[in-house]
Amino acid sequence: MRLNTQKHSALLASLLLAGAAGAASPGAAKAPAPALEIRAQLLPKRYTTLAAEISARLFKLHVSEGGRFRAGDALVSFDCALQRAQLEKALAEQSGAETTLATNKRLQELNSIGQAEYALSASALEKARAETQSARAVVSKCAITAPFPGRVAEYKVREQQFVQPGQPLVDILDDTTLELEFLVPIAVADGA
């Protein structure tokens, strides 16, 4: 059950004040209670700062500040022409290594190549596959998607700006579930 935030805040504040007033002993003379100032703030349960994982020029901010997004929506995308070119190069090297290995396998079947040469071509193919996987991983970082639904609180960068790995880009928060945090002062008894 979801309560209206203002009604919820007022209800909790009145319960806290009633509990503080009822805590006095029943037989004691009631002195006027000092005014207590109770502060409350709404906080999202989930919030985070998303940071860059690659060095690149920021191409587009997809959601405006204060704008809503769903989980999986693109928030930031980078100009990754260089990273995509490196992936194409890695794929071409992998294709060449596959052809070399296939040729060397046939030559080994004909006893025209040594075991060491065949093993080196197999190793070259594994290296090319690893470089392709690495390049794919980098290209997958060319867009940052939302890990949960919510709102953009603040962008820390602007479009066309060059960013470095680890640089904060955007603060986001999930405003679907909020927590109410109360700050209640501790009453100090006279003479204590």
Side-chain angles (χ1 to χ4, degrees), residues 122-132:
S123 176
L125 176 57
E126 290 305 311
K127 179 181 175 189
R129 285 181 178 157
E131 288 177 8
T132 299

Side-chain angles (χ1 to χ4, degrees), residues 2-170:
R2 185 171 277 168
L3 294 175
N4 178 311
T5 309
Q6 288 179 328
K7 288 180 184 177
H8 194 137
S9 300
L11 176 64
L12 285 173
S14 64
L15 288 174
L16 282 173
L17 289 174
S25 61
K30 293 190 178 184
L36 292 177
E37 184 177 316
I38 298 175
R39 296 181 185 188
Q41 60 184 7
L42 285 173
L43 299 172
K45 274 192 160 186
R46 293 189 295 182
Y47 57 93
T48 191
T49 299
L50 300 176
E53 294 185 62
I54 60 172
S55 294
R57 183 175 56 87
L58 200 144
F59 178 68
K60 183 162 175 82
L61 303 173
H62 295 277
V63 180
S64 62
E65 283 188 358
R68 291 195 142 297
F69 55 82
R70 292 178 299 209
D73 284 356
L75 299 175
V76 176
S77 58
F78 300 99
D79 175 7
C80 285
L82 176 63
Q83 290 84 348
R84 286 188 178 86
Q86 290 171 338
L87 175 58
E88 291 299 319
K89 178 184 175 190
L91 286 167
E93 288 175 355
Q94 180 178 332
S95 177
E98 287 169 349
T99 302
T100 300
L101 181 62
T103 302
N104 285 348
K105 182 177 181 182
R106 179 67 182 134
L107 289 172
Q108 186 182 36
E109 289 169 358
L110 298 172
N111 291 325
S112 296
I113 191 173
Q115 185 64 26
E117 288 177 84
Y118 178 76
L120 284 172
S121 61
S123 176
L125 176 57
E126 290 305 311
K127 179 181 175 189
R129 285 181 178 157
E131 288 177 8
T132 299
Q133 286 178 334
S134 174
R136 277 195 177 115
V138 170
V139 169
S140 75
K141 307 296 183 194
C142 289
I144 296 178
T145 58
F148 50 77
R151 289 185 181 270
V152 171
E154 177 187 12
Y155 280 110
K156 300 185 178 293
V157 292
R158 298 288 172 243
E159 289 181 359
Q160 307 308 316
Q161 183 176 344
F162 191 84
V163 298
Q164 296 293 332
Q167 181 176 346
L169 302 175
V170 59

